[in-house]
């Protein structure tokens, strides 16, 4: 049986099998270390019994007042371990920590509008499109792609104010975030 545990610094040398997926955003080492230092309870890996990293989730807590929330910065599962429910377990952990430890109003994430599989998965997990962000993903060679800002309210948001009125027709620019 696999184990969901906190990310450790040594995992930085062991998670290439997961990060090589084309839809996985990768970052420099200092970025990962910052998350590990500031939000260790929102940075976890799923590890197989043999010690292989199967996937990971990296998140943070941010915002102010009713915008205080958990944010999924990255979640990815290695191709050979997909469709086993690992993403569901990692998302539930981040949602639980965002609710019980950080007392957030909602959890949000950004996903490429072209990534229909991920969008469907997030909708199955209870997320909805809050807005569309023009040009959120940029590769630097004038190749941009829009993102959906998807949200799921947590129990603290009793009136579900964090997810109402917008949707994919509400379009913003990254600099307006």
């Amino acid at each position: 049986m696999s184990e969901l545990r906190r990310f450790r610094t040594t995992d930085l040398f062991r998670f290439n099998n997961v990060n090589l997926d084309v839809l996985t955003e990768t970052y420099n080492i200092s970025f990962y270390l910052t998350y590990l230092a500031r939000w260790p309870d929102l940075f976890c890996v799923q590890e197989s019994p043999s010690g292989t990293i199967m996937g990971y989730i990296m998140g943070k807590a941010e915002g102010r007042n009713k915008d205080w929330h958990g944010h999924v910065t990255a979640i990815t599962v290695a191709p050979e371990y997909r469709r086993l429910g690992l993403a569901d377990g990692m998302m539930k952990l981040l949602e639980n920590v965002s609710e019980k430890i950080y007392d957030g109003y909602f959890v949000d994430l950004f996903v490429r509008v072209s990534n229909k599989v991920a969008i469907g998965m997030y909708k199955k997990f209870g997320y909805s499109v809050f807005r569309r962000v023009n040009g959120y993903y940029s590769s630097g060679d004038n190749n941009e792609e829009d993102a959906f800002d998807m949200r799921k309210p947590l129990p603290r948001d009793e009136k579900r104010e964090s997810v109402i009125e917008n949707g994919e027709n509400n379009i913003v620019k990254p600099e307006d975030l």
Side-chain angles (χ1 to χ4, degrees):
M1 173 155 248
S2 66
E3 175 188 15
L4 182 57
R5 63 162 175 80
R6 283 191 178 178
F7 195 91
R8 297 188 281 244
T9 53
T10 54
D11 293 328
L12 288 168
F13 305 108
R14 302 177 49 238
F15 73 161
N16 281 343
N17 65 311
V18 179
N19 266 359
L20 293 176
D21 182 72
V22 296
L23 292 175
T24 297
E25 296 296 317
T26 57
Y27 308 96
N28 61 48
I29 289 178
S30 64
F31 188 85
Y32 292 107
L33 291 174
T34 298
Y35 272 72
L36 187 57
R38 292 194 62 191
W39 304 284
D41 45 0
L42 294 172
F43 197 175
C44 297
V45 298
Q46 190 80 42
E47 187 176 49
S48 75
S50 66
T52 302
I53 293 180
M54 305 163 74
Y56 69 87
I57 189 165
M58 179 171 61
K60 63 183 176 179
E62 64 182 358
R64 293 175 189 223
N65 304 319
K66 287 191 175 184
D67 194 38
W68 179 247
H69 65 283
H71 174 75
V72 179
T73 302
I75 181 168
T76 187
V77 175
E80 63 270 27
Y81 296 110
R82 291 185 182 153
R83 304 211 178 270
L84 298 176
L86 301 181
D88 186 35
M90 290 188 286
M91 291 293 288
K92 284 179 179 168
L93 179 134
L94 189 135
E95 292 163 7
N96 190 42
V97 171
S98 296
E99 174 191 349
K100 301 215 175 359
I101 305 296
Y102 292 100
D103 198 26
Y105 283 90
F106 60 94
V107 171
D108 80 339
L109 57 89
F110 292 94
V111 61
R112 293 176 184 273
V113 296
S114 65
N115 194 344
K116 305 296 184 204
V117 172
I119 293 165
M121 178 185 72
Y122 296 132
K123 286 183 176 181
K124 186 177 103 184
F125 295 163
Y127 289 77
S128 60
V129 174
F130 181 70
R131 60 187 167 186
R132 184 181 186 124
V133 183
N134 275 344
Y136 182 80
Y137 293 99
S138 176
S139 62
D141 56 358
N142 290 332
N143 192 7
E144 294 184 345
E145 184 174 354
D146 294 354
F148 285 140
D149 175 359
M150 298 185 76
R151 295 184 177 187
K152 180 178 182 177
L154 296 174
R156 185 174 182 193
D157 184 8
E158 294 175 7
K159 296 180 183 175
R160 299 178 53 88
E161 295 175 79
S162 61
V163 295
I164 57 174
E165 84 180 40
N166 292 302
E168 59 187 83
N169 293 325
N170 181 27
I171 301 172
V172 297
K173 295 180 230 157
E175 57 267 21
D176 295 334
L177 295 175

